[in-house]
Amino acid sequence: MKIDRKIVERAATLSRIEMEPENVEPMVRFFRDIIGHFKVLEKCDTTGVDPFSSLEDEPCPLRGDGPVRWDIGDEALDAAPHKEGRFFQVPAIGGEGGPDEV
Amino acid sequence: MRYELMDASSIASAVTRGEVSAVEAVSASLDRIGRLEPRLNALITVMEERALERAAYVDGQVASGCDPGPLAGVPVVVKDNMCTRGVRTTCGSRILGDWKPPYDAAVVELFEKAGAVIVGKSNMDEFAMGSSTEHSYFGPASNPRDISRVPGGSSGGSAASAAAGYVPIALGSDTGGSIRQPAAFCGVHGLKPTYGMVSRWGLVAFASSLDQIGPFGRSVGDIALAMDVISSHDPRDSTCSRRERPSFRDGASSPAVKGMRIGIVREFLEGPLDPSLKRSIEGTASVLVSSGCAIVEVSLEESASFGLPCYYIIAPAEASSNLARFDGVRYGFREEAPDLVSQFTRTRSSGFGEEVKRRILTGTFVLSSGYYDAYYLTALKVRKRICEEFDRAFRSVDVILMPVAPSLPFRKGDLLDDPISMYMSDVFTLPVNLAGLPGMTVFTGLEPSGLPTSVQLVAPRWQDRRLIECAAVIEERFGCPPVAEGGAL
């Protein structure tokens, strides 16, 4: 597989991270190095191994199926960069018509 | 009274008996922090006001005849990825630079309930991604044994705080070695418990299948004391086990190591390893043999060969998912933009540092369509193989003795531009996280250069107490880690 700018830029777009032009090539080199290290895993015999087994032999506990009162809504909202009433405030998805509420 | 030389149980006993006040002990800690912090930068936030209030509360409990708890008046430091209500919790990142959580982490609650007084939030690699505490938005921390060197990471600030005598006990988190490696670099003890032993409620997640909280300390007794306080079931963390916990303090005071089989890992001694660290392994093996243990050679070939690449697929994959929440909407830093997607992108691009971006991009890549099976799924299978390999090894031994890191603490800046070499620093610690095992760094001495040496002990899952017992025997021979002072600082 060829590791090039396109692969790095795609990962950046999916990550919602903008790469400065001067940082793309160093990231491409890093990708080549680290993915080169990943190749060694091909030597491990994983035939028949279940990848989704748990480390723990206890079953994962489930929460009760009922409403839980959460009393720190105001404090949580206070941490928001912008809020309006009981809502977080963000710009419109399409960039028009002012801020949207989510 | 030189509080910086005292262990936690001595301070707590003196406070409980009314011989000294918690305010006095905490003030001494704050004074030392004030004197040394300009050189160490081990703390992101000093919690002077809250600490003195808490100390006065503990003194009030003593005065009224209430039991103030086993950590009464003991100053402690917690890593800055553990939530503290109303006190900023930055994770060493610009993106959370001013965030004040509306609740305390479970370990913070447990420490304060036990009478401990949190004096500061420690410096760390951003979101715990790093091995040197150089990747902090708040500047690098220094190693108190030699301030030209790194304290290790990512919990470098917590390790430095314990080594410098700010506090007898500090808490860190360990995803791939982030307690054990800085403990080794700063010359203190550090324990990463079994996955599921300690609640992670209120720990900002890096890689959820690997993260675990544990203590640093300058005596095995203090590590045991901290473990007795923080290890309990918590229904708020679904991965926190309901199993009964042993008494760690009993393990420290009455270590029963006679007859234990200690495994030495051939592969880990054949690769690059500083000669002083190899000598530490040999010296520690001799101590354990003279205490009635038997040495058995074991092989961890797959862990040695595949641990590092396996970890650097799984941890970034989980990180890329966990860190998706930082988008400037609900908390933390926001870069304004005219539309929502641009706001996400600008906020994340200027809010995260370079190492975090590297890991998010790597994680996104290995999870993305077309590469998921080849990398992420394969790594999960290899992880299972590594778990099975440890299980096989533990059929013939009770504890494994191995190095913590390949080198003594390196100089600041030496590996900053070489991320892969930096990752190699965790080659001996991260297989332990992959397998969910408990691992402990035990101090074994200071070299003539003043730099510390240590060994790593690893036990089967839920056998953390064995580590404490072996560590107590090793400490009896090599002594407790001394407080760093004098020329080094």
Side-chain angles (χ1 to χ4, degrees), chain B residues 77-152:
Chain B
V77 155
V78 300
K79 189 175 178 178
D80 207 21
N81 57 356
M82 297 171 199
C83 289
T84 38
R85 184 176 180 138
V87 177
R88 71 175 177 165
T89 298
T90 70
C91 289
S93 180
R94 184 185 190 198
I95 212 161
L96 280 178
D98 293 317
W99 180 55
K100 292 178 180 168
Y103 64 99
D104 282 325
V107 289
V108 168
E109 290 175 350
L110 290 166
F111 256 27
E112 290 194 334
K113 194 175 162 201
V117 177
I118 301 169
V119 294
K121 305 289 298 289
S122 66
N123 203 353
M124 56 183 283
D125 286 300
E126 186 179 2
F127 285 104
M129 297 176 195
S131 307
S132 65
T133 315
E134 293 175 290
H135 296 294
S136 167
Y137 179 66
F138 300 89
S142 301
N143 189 321
R145 306 283 176 194
D146 176 347
I147 59 172
S148 72
R149 294 176 190 269
V150 301

Side-chain angles (χ1 to χ4, degrees), chain A residues 1 15-16 18 30 35 38 40 44-45 53 55-58 61 75 79-82 88-89 91-92 95, chain B residues 85 241-243 312 328-332 334 336 338-340 343 348-349 362 364-365 371 375 384 461-462:
Chain A
M1 179 183 53
S15 305
R16 298 277 187 258
E18 195 171 30
F30 170 76
I35 290 165
F38 296 164
V40 74
C44 184
D45 180 7
S53 54
L55 286 172
E56 186 48 74
D57 46 14
E58 290 176 50
E75 285 178 89
H82 294 291
F88 297 109
Q89 194 176 38
Chain B
R85 184 176 180 138
S241 174
R242 293 171 185 274
R243 283 168 187 260
Y312 277 98
V329 172
R330 288 155 297 168
Y331 34 67
R334 175 190 287 193
E336 300 297 341
D339 65 85
L340 189 59
Q343 182 195 283
R348 290 167 62 80
S349 301
T362 307
T364 302
F365 169 74
Y371 305 107
Y375 297 109
K384 185 77 186 298
R461 288 167 56 72
W462 307 108

Side-chain angles (χ1 to χ4, degrees), chain A residues 1-4 7-20 23 26-27 29-63 70-83 87-100 102, chain B residues 85 99-103 195 201 209 233 235-243 302 305-306 308-310 312-313 328-334 336-341 343-346 348-349 352 354 356-362 364-366 368-369 371-372 375-385 387-388 419-420 423-424 433-436 461-462:
Chain A
M1 179 183 53
K2 191 180 170 203
I3 303 294
D4 55 16
I7 282 185
V8 167
E9 285 166 351
R10 177 167 175 261
T13 302
L14 289 170
S15 305
R16 298 277 187 258
I17 286 174
E18 195 171 30
M19 300 285 295
E20 296 294 334
N23 290 336
M27 192 64 84
R29 284 198 295 276
F30 170 76
F31 260 50
R32 285 184 188 137
D33 285 350
I34 194 81
I35 290 165
H37 277 76
F38 296 164
K39 292 253 179 243
V40 74
L41 297 185
E42 292 169 4
K43 294 180 187 166
C44 184
D45 180 7
T46 56
T47 312
V49 175
D50 172 11
F52 296 112
S53 54
S54 167
L55 286 172
E56 186 48 74
D57 46 14
E58 290 176 50
C60 184
L62 300 176
R63 281 194 290 269
W70 189 247
D71 290 329
I72 59 172
D74 289 338
E75 285 178 89
L77 273 166
D78 284 345
H82 294 291
K83 62 172 181 171
F87 298 95
F88 297 109
Q89 194 176 38
V90 294
I93 292 170
E96 291 174 9
D100 265 0
V102 293
Chain B
R85 184 176 180 138
W99 180 55
K100 292 178 180 168
Y103 64 99
Y195 183 82
W201 166 260
S209 77
H233 171 62
R236 296 168 299 181
D237 173 0
S238 66
T239 65
C240 188
S241 174
R242 293 171 185 274
R243 283 168 187 260
E302 293 191 331
S305 303
F306 307 131
L308 194 108
C310 179
Y312 277 98
I313 291 172
V329 172
R330 288 155 297 168
Y331 34 67
F333 164 81
R334 175 190 287 193
E336 300 297 341
D339 65 85
L340 189 59
V341 174
Q343 182 195 283
F344 292 162
T345 304
R346 285 189 195 174
R348 290 167 62 80
S349 301
F352 290 136
E354 290 310 306
V356 171
K357 288 180 192 172
R358 261 197 289 272
R359 302 222 195 176
I360 290 175
L361 260 62
T362 307
T364 302
F365 169 74
V366 299
S368 61
S369 171
Y371 305 107
Y372 177 92
Y375 297 109
Y376 183 65
L377 206 60
T378 300
L380 289 183
K381 291 177 183 174
V382 173
R383 180 182 190 174
K384 185 77 186 298
R385 295 278 305 193
C387 293
E388 290 167 352
I420 306 281
Y423 297 169
M424 296 288 183
N433 298 73
L434 289 169
R461 288 167 56 72
W462 307 108

Side-chain angles (χ1 to χ4, degrees), chain B residues 173-249:
Chain B
S173 64
D174 190 317
T175 305
S178 286
I179 290 173
R180 289 158 290 153
Q181 186 255 25
F185 277 21
C186 290
V188 293
H189 304 314
L191 173 63
K192 182 209 89 81
T194 298
Y195 183 82
M197 177 73 83
V198 176
S199 170
R200 302 176 302 171
W201 166 260
L203 172 73
V204 179
F206 160 15
S208 305
S209 77
L210 301 159
D211 299 337
Q212 186 59 201
I213 293 172
F216 293 91
R218 294 191 310 274
S219 74
V220 174
D222 278 358
I223 296 282
L225 174 56
M227 284 299 295
D228 279 341
V229 169
I230 64 172
S231 60
S232 58
H233 171 62
D234 180 359
R236 296 168 299 181
D237 173 0
S238 66
T239 65
C240 188
S241 174
R242 293 171 185 274
R243 283 168 187 260
E244 198 173 320
R245 271 65 170 177
S247 166
F248 293 98
R249 270 174 289 182

